[in-house]
Structures are given as C-alpha cells and as structure tokens.
Amino acid sequence: MDRQGFWDDKYAASERIWSGAPNKALVGQVAGLTPGTALDLGCGEGADAVWLARQGWTVTGADISPIALDRAARHAEEAGVKVDLQRHDLSRTFPEGQFDLVSAQFLHDYGDFPRTAILRRAAGAVAPGGVLLIESHQSHGPHPQPEHGEVRFLSPGELVAELALAPGEWELAVSEEHDRIQQGPDGTPAHRTDSTLRLVRRE
C-alpha cells in the first residue's frame, strides 16, 4: 500500500483518531513566542494548526491524507479561525515560503519515509530568527508493534548530527528527553519517553 493509502485507511477507520487537543510540547515551546507565520508538518486532523491560529499565528498545515485535511478544515471552521491546508507527500513536495515557526510533531522515520531529508528541507523553510521545533518518540511505548514499517528512534543529539545544519547558523535552544503518560491500545495508562528539539535560526 502506498503512503497516502495507509493514512487514508487509518483515518477512515474512525471518525477521529487523535484527541483533538494540541500537543503539550508544542504549547509549552510556543507559549513565549511572538506570533508570526507557522508551518505544521503532518498536521493530521488539525489540532495543533487550529491552536496556533487561535494564538494569532498565520498557519499553513500540510498532510498527505485528504481525509485528515477535510477534518482539519472542519475543526478550523468550528473554531472560527483560518488555516491554509495543503496536501503534500512531504517526500515529494513541500509548502512554499519561509516561516517563523516550522513544527514537526511526531513525524517519524519508518520504512522508506525520508524523515531526515524532510527535516532538512523544513530547516530551510525557517526564516531568520525563526524556530524549528521537532517532537519525537524515543520508543514504541505502549504501541510495541510499528503500524507502517520499522521505525528509527533518534535521540535529539543523533538527530542534530543527521541534520548536519550549517555551523554558526543555528542556536540549539532545547534538546531534552521527557516522560509522559499515554494510553495503550487497551486503554491502560503507560509511560513513554519523548524528546523535544528546538533550534533557532540566527538572524
């Protein structure tokens, strides 16, 4: 099955597959920033994009699944905000322009999905003075079997090394791992470890 088919099937299996709430790491990391332009990569059903728009950001959301984008559009309409929603297979196409914030929340490297190359392109889309924010899982957590191929879990330091960003052009603002509680497939709460990488492009 191709990548779009996988995600379309996943979204079609339920009326909603995510919580509808923005990612806590995004909320915490963005809280002190002055709203500007933002790009949400893999925006899914739109919770992060809508939250950013409600904070005053001008938001572009990108996802491979038309089903997810339709739900994100409804979410934005219900919230009374405007989000520019675009369909992209990020391994092939990418939103145009530069942004004050580029957010990649749990955009993971699996199968033939070229995550590192996509995140390098994401870095190129960050405007001077802007932020690249990457949130990652550090293990399968309560979901031990990958749903879409083997996943590579990189620590923040390993990811920085793979990105190979231009020396002197970026400031490493946050590089940390943290624990949280997530419900497993059977509804049982379980601990998992995630990581936050926040890079600031120097003026």
Side-chain angles (χ1 to χ4, degrees), residues 57-69:
W57 293 82
T58 300
V59 185
T60 298
D63 202 276
I64 194 171
S65 170
I67 298 173
L69 292 170

Side-chain angles (χ1 to χ4, degrees), residues 129-162:
V131 170
L132 175 62
L133 180 63
I134 304 169
E135 188 73 8
S136 307
H137 295 314
Q138 294 301 288
S139 70
H140 293 303
H143 302 272
Q145 298 299 321
E147 298 174 308
H148 35 55
E150 188 59 37
V151 182
R152 284 199 314 150
F153 296 106
L154 299 178
S155 70
E158 289 169 335
L159 181 54
V160 168
E162 284 211 356

Side-chain angles (χ1 to χ4, degrees), residues 75-92:
H75 189 177
E77 183 178 6
E78 290 166 0
V81 297
K82 182 178 179 180
V83 177
D84 179 15
L85 296 165
Q86 302 179 11
R87 197 193 77 79
H88 289 276
D89 176 346
L90 295 172
S91 67
R92 299 182 179 184

Side-chain angles (χ1 to χ4, degrees), residues 7-18:
W7 285 106
D8 282 345
D9 284 354
K10 186 176 180 69
Y11 282 108
S14 176
E15 290 186 4
R16 189 176 74 182
I17 66 170
W18 308 120

Side-chain angles (χ1 to χ4, degrees), residues 99-112:
F99 303 86
D100 300 306
L101 170 68
V102 178
S103 173
Q105 301 288 306
F106 307 110
L107 188 71
H108 273 289
D109 197 348
Y110 56 85
D112 63 349

